[in-house]
Each structure stands twice: as structure tokens, then as C-alpha cells.
């Protein structure tokens, strides 16, 4: 592998997922063996739900990451979490989960927390989506104050097409919430796979969101649903997207969100081939 590929590998990372390993240390070791430089720790059971992770364990996580030369990113909890919920009790409980993720990030020396922005259940008429968006703005404003105190960036992610209506599904919606919050601690994660489910122009999205971009999620699909396939198994033109991100001088991490080690290894091979051409 040439030096250019070596440098790119240090920008690649892998997100934890259910069933990936019995312990975080085992997961970190496998990431290090693959030669990546980042790991995105998802705040969910069984590995890293913050309420389950003691102060001592957080210290051990920090030390283990250092020993494997891995830079951590934290992905806030998303199962049963919806900070845009029309139910204020759900919204408050969801905000608490994300607040715990921000604190956890600071404790393990992660400077970015990825956040799902919430949705409106599909049974509701679309006119209620504005209320969900207002709830997102209110909750996010509060979370940013906590993040600022801990010097952690909250990175808002675009979501996929599904039955529920998403508060952030387009580049314009993504830009709107970032500009509304207007804080250097509120930035953007561009999920390429999610954007592809809306059949949008991925290169235009990348160019538009670039000034606010701190993280990129990579996984493949065929444009109709969120499948989290290995790169090359769907219809996304990753070569074109990478070229655009390079043109806008994006220099941050690329996190692979693929749900098997075989798929991850295939995706890494695909990425190294693309950047070596």
C-alpha cells in the first residue's frame, strides 16, 4: 500500500454494531488490525450504553483507544430515541439519552457526537412535521449548551427514507438546522447511504453541506431503502462522491456503517482501490 493509501486508511473508521464483538476492546483490536484510524462508538447495549459504563470503565476505554492509536467518535443512542417527538415526555427522555452520550464522549476524549434528529410518525399528516422540527430546534439548542461546556461537537445526521417523516432528509433541511442553531459546536454528518434513498444528487449534497461537515457515513443501498450494504453491493457511485469531497477539501473521517466483518473488509478494499486510482 502506498503512502497516500496509508494516510487515507487513517481517515477510515468503523462503527460498532449489535453482535460485532463481545467487548469494546475486542472490537477496537479488530479495527486496529484492519488498519483504520477511527472508531465510532454507538451508545447502545451491549457495548456502550452510557448508563452501563462506569467512570473506571471510561478511563479504560480511553486508555485502550490510545494503545491502538484509534480516534473515537461517539454516536448518540437512537433506539427508542426521538428528540423531535410530539410527546414532551418522550422528547425529554430522548434528550437525556443524548446528553449522556455527550458526557460519555468527553470522558473518552471523543470530540464529535453524532446525532439522529428525530422524526414524525408516519400516521400523522405532514402538516405536523413543522412542530417536530420546532421540537428538534428547541432540544438541540439545549444540548449544544452542554456540548459547548465540554468542548464536544454535536454533529447532526441526515436520515433515510422510511414510513416515518424525517425532520432532516434533504440538504436544505440539513443546512437550515445548522444555520438556525448557529454554533461552531453544531455541525453536520453526511450519511451518503441515507441521502441515496431520496434519489438526490449526492455530489450536490456534498458540496452544499461541505462548510459544516465533520463526519461522513458510508454504506451502500439500491436507492429504495436503507440497507447498510458493503460498498459496491448497491448503486452508489462512491468514486464520484469521494472526488467531490476531495474537491471541497473535506479532510475529516469516513465511517463505515456496514453490519458484518466480511462486509467491512470488502468495503475497505473498495475504498483503497478508489483512492489509489
Amino acid at each position: 500500500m502506498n503512502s497516500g493509501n496509508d494516510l487515507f486508511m487513517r481517515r477510515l473508521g468503523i462503527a460498532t454494531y449489535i453482535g460485532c464483538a463481545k467487548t469494546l476492546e475486542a472490537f477496537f483490536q479488530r479495527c486496529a488490525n484492519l488498519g483504520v484510524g477511527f472508531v465510532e462508538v454507538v451508545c447502545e447495549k451491549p457495548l456502550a450504553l452510557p448508563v452501563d459504563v462506569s467512570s473506571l470503565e471510561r478511563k479504560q476505554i480511553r486508555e485502550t483507544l490510545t494503545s491502538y492509536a484509534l480516534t473515537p467518535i461517539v454516536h448518540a443512542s437512537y433506539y427508542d430515541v426521538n428528540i423531535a417527538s410530539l410527546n414532551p415526555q418522550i422528547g425529554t427522555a430522548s434528550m437525556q439519552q443524548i446528553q449522556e452520550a455527550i458526557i460519555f464522549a468527553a470522558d473518552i476524549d471523543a470530540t464529535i457526537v453524532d446525532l439522529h434528529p428525530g422524526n414524525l410518525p408516519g400516521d400523522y399528516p405532514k402538516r405536523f412535521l413543522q412542530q417536530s422540527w420546532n421540537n428538534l430546534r428547541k432540544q438541540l439548542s439545549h444540548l449544544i449548551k452542554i456540548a459547548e461546556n465540554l468542548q464536544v461537537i454535536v454533529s447532526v445526521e441526515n436520515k433515510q427514507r422510511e414510513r416515518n417523516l424525517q425532520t432532516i432528509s434533504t440538504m436544505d433541511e440539513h443546512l437550515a438546522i445548522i444555520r438556525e442553531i448557529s454554533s461552531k459546536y453544531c455541525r453536520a454528518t453526511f450519511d451518503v447511504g441515507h441521502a441515496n434513498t431520496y434519489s438526490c444528487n449526492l455530489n450536490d449534497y456534498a458540496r452544499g453541506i461541505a462548510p459544516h461537515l465533520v463526519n461522513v457515513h458510508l454504506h451502500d443501498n439500491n436507492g429504495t431503502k436503507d440497507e447498510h450494504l458493503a460498498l459496491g453491493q448497491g448503486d452508489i457511485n462512491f468514486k464520484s462522491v469521494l472526488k467531490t469531497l476531495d474537491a471541497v477539501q473535506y479532510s475529516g473521517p469516513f465511517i463505515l456503517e456496514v453490519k458484518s466483518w466480511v462486509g467491512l473488509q470488502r468495503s475497505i478494499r473498495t475504498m483503497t482501490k478508489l483512492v489509489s486510482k
Side-chain angles (χ1 to χ4, degrees):
M1 184 179 294
N2 61 39
S3 60
N5 278 358
D6 288 338
L7 290 172
F8 187 79
M9 284 296 293
R10 300 308 300 166
R11 293 174 61 193
L12 271 183
I14 298 172
T16 61
Y17 53 90
I18 296 171
C20 61
K22 291 184 178 180
T23 66
L24 272 181
E25 182 170 3
F27 184 84
F28 296 161
Q29 185 176 35
R30 296 194 75 169
C31 290
N33 289 342
L34 289 171
V36 301
F38 283 82
V39 60
E40 187 166 287
V41 181
V42 181
C43 290
E44 297 287 359
K45 285 181 176 289
L47 296 182
L49 190 66
V51 70
D52 293 338
V53 187
S54 68
S55 296
L56 176 59
E57 288 169 326
R58 294 175 190 217
K59 179 176 181 291
Q60 292 170 337
I61 290 170
R62 190 169 63 246
E63 292 172 347
T64 303
L65 286 164
T66 299
S67 71
Y68 287 121
L70 291 168
T71 300
I73 294 172
V74 166
H75 197 310
S77 303
Y78 47 79
Y79 292 123
D80 306 317
V81 171
N82 183 5
I83 63 170
S85 177
L86 299 184
N87 183 329
Q89 291 178 314
I90 298 296
T92 298
S94 297
M95 190 169 66
Q96 178 64 34
Q97 291 300 308
I98 297 167
Q99 182 175 318
E100 292 291 340
I102 294 170
I103 295 168
F104 174 68
D107 287 343
I108 66 168
D109 291 342
T111 59
I112 298 172
V113 173
D114 194 81
L115 166 75
H116 284 188
N119 59 70
L120 176 72
D123 289 337
Y124 278 88
K126 193 172 182 179
R127 69 177 184 272
F128 285 88
L129 190 58
Q130 182 61 50
Q131 186 176 341
S132 294
W133 199 90
N134 292 341
N135 291 345
L136 167 63
R137 179 181 57 189
K138 178 182 177 182
Q139 303 280 44
L140 190 55
S141 295
H142 177 78
L143 290 166
I144 291 299
K145 292 177 183 177
I146 297 167
E148 287 176 349
N149 288 335
L150 295 172
Q151 295 187 307
V152 172
I153 292 169
V154 173
S155 189
V156 184
E157 179 181 343
N158 58 299
K159 290 296 289 161
Q160 74 275 8
R161 182 189 297 275
E162 60 175 15
R163 184 173 182 274
N164 292 339
L165 300 176
Q166 303 296 337
T167 52
I168 298 179
S169 57
T170 68
M171 182 191 70
D172 288 340
E173 291 166 347
H174 213 165
L175 289 171
I177 194 64
I178 301 297
R179 291 167 177 166
E180 182 76 21
I181 301 300
S182 186
S183 167
K184 68 179 182 179
Y185 290 96
C186 183
R187 305 295 291 278
T189 292
F190 176 36
D191 191 302
V192 178
H194 288 171
N196 194 56
T197 65
Y198 286 94
S199 302
C200 69
N201 186 307
L202 298 177
N203 296 308
D204 286 347
Y205 200 135
R207 279 188 287 266
I209 203 68
H212 311 283
L213 195 58
V214 295
N215 193 14
V216 172
H217 284 173
L218 299 176
H219 50 96
D220 214 341
N221 60 59
N222 290 292
T224 58
K225 62 181 180 179
D226 190 31
E227 298 173 276
H228 286 262
L229 301 175
L231 275 56
Q233 292 189 322
D235 65 10
I236 297 175
N237 185 342
F238 286 102
K239 181 178 180 179
S240 179
V241 174
L242 290 174
K243 183 177 180 180
T244 298
L245 288 168
D246 183 60
V248 298
Q249 299 182 323
Y250 173 68
S251 59
F254 293 92
I255 304 299
L256 295 168
E257 289 192 321
V258 179
K259 297 182 179 180
S260 74
W261 287 108
V262 171
L264 285 166
Q265 290 170 323
R266 173 173 178 163
S267 297
I268 290 171
R269 289 195 297 270
T270 298
M271 290 290 283
T272 53
K273 287 178 183 177
L274 289 176
V275 299
S276 63
K277 291 181 179 179

